[in-house]
Amino acid sequence: MNVLRVRGLESHHGLLKAVRGINLDVQEGERLALVGANGAGKTTLLRTLAGIHRASAGSVEFDGANVTTLPAHQRAALGIALVPEGRRLFASMTVTENLQVARSAKRTGYWNLDTVVEAFPQLKPKLRALAGSLSGGQQQAVAIGRALMTNPRLLLLDEMSLGLSPVAVQGVYDSLSSVVSQKTTLILVEQDLQRTFDFAQRIVCMLEGSVVAEGRTDEMTRDEVMAHYFGHRGSNEKKEYA
Ligand code: ATP
């Protein structure tokens, strides 16, 4: 079953069209990675899916409902959560307060303060600490925990590795794999291609706001993805694998 259906989606930053006519179908429980060079439009696409950035054309259907014009908090209430690039925590609030912010989505389910702390035990001694005082890896755990607190069905993860040590990145991915249920659909942006191949089932390559290739990770090679990444394929035809 498709949980997400995107058709002809466009988003602008002023006059710049950052997302151009994106079509995307994502199945429930799928792990999809968006890859592309800096400025390809990945963050803008995730923010548009989350309702933080307004779509200028096209449609987004979530669970069969047209959510294109819904603001972010209403999408969160339906089960769409974004872990933003740079984590965007409230630095002068405690870890607990940062996590509890997500309760405003008013979604019930497995995730609450206790289960998040159980899943990210490194946060237990830090619950009263200010988020700004935490290490990068701990902050990322809070950002993911905050999104999980909304009990999302679709989790959008933007460059979780940014600014983290390799050990912290590994920790974040290990936690993510163990805490996210089979039914949660994931769309992630990740610069590390090896990690993308290890974690995702399908890759969508973006270039200058458009999808230029997509395919299953077990049917594409890193070299093929790299070629699309930099636009070396020299074709405007979207390449589909499988
Ligand atoms: P990165 O990996 O660098 O985050 P990206 O693939 O996520 O890149 P976006 O951040 O979505 O790409 O940027 C897409 C385009 O929109 C780029 O040309 C970028 O310069 C532009 N852009 C992004 N944010 C803004 C903004 N707030 N104001 C103006 N232009 C923006």
Side-chain angles (χ1 to χ4, degrees), residues 20-46:
R20 299 167 174 261
I22 298 278
N23 298 320
L24 197 59
D25 290 302
V26 187
Q27 290 195 340
E28 183 169 46
E30 196 174 2
R31 293 178 176 193
L32 176 79
L34 294 177
V35 304
N38 286 347
K42 307 176 298 292
T43 293
T44 309
L45 175 57
L46 287 193

Side-chain angles (χ1 to χ4, degrees), residues 70-106:
L70 288 191
H73 69 277
Q74 286 183 17
R75 294 192 206 195
L78 291 175
I80 301 178
L82 172 70
V83 179
E85 187 176 359
R87 307 181 267 277
R88 305 280 177 104
L89 300 179
F90 297 103
S92 56
M93 284 166 56
T94 65
V95 168
T96 301
E97 286 165 344
N98 269 277
L99 292 171
Q100 284 178 335
V101 163
R103 288 192 311 189
S104 59
K106 294 194 170 66

Side-chain angles (χ1 to χ4, degrees), residues 13-14 16 18-19 36-45 85 158-159 189 191:
H13 292 288
L16 176 85
V19 168
N38 286 347
K42 307 176 298 292
T43 293
T44 309
L45 175 57
E85 187 176 359
D158 198 357
E159 299 213 30
V189 169
Q191 294 289 357

Side-chain angles (χ1 to χ4, degrees), residues 151-167:
N151 283 290
R153 296 194 52 213
L154 172 62
L155 186 55
L156 309 167
L157 300 148
D158 198 357
E159 299 213 30
M160 293 187 294
S161 317
L162 211 66
L164 301 187
S165 69
V167 173

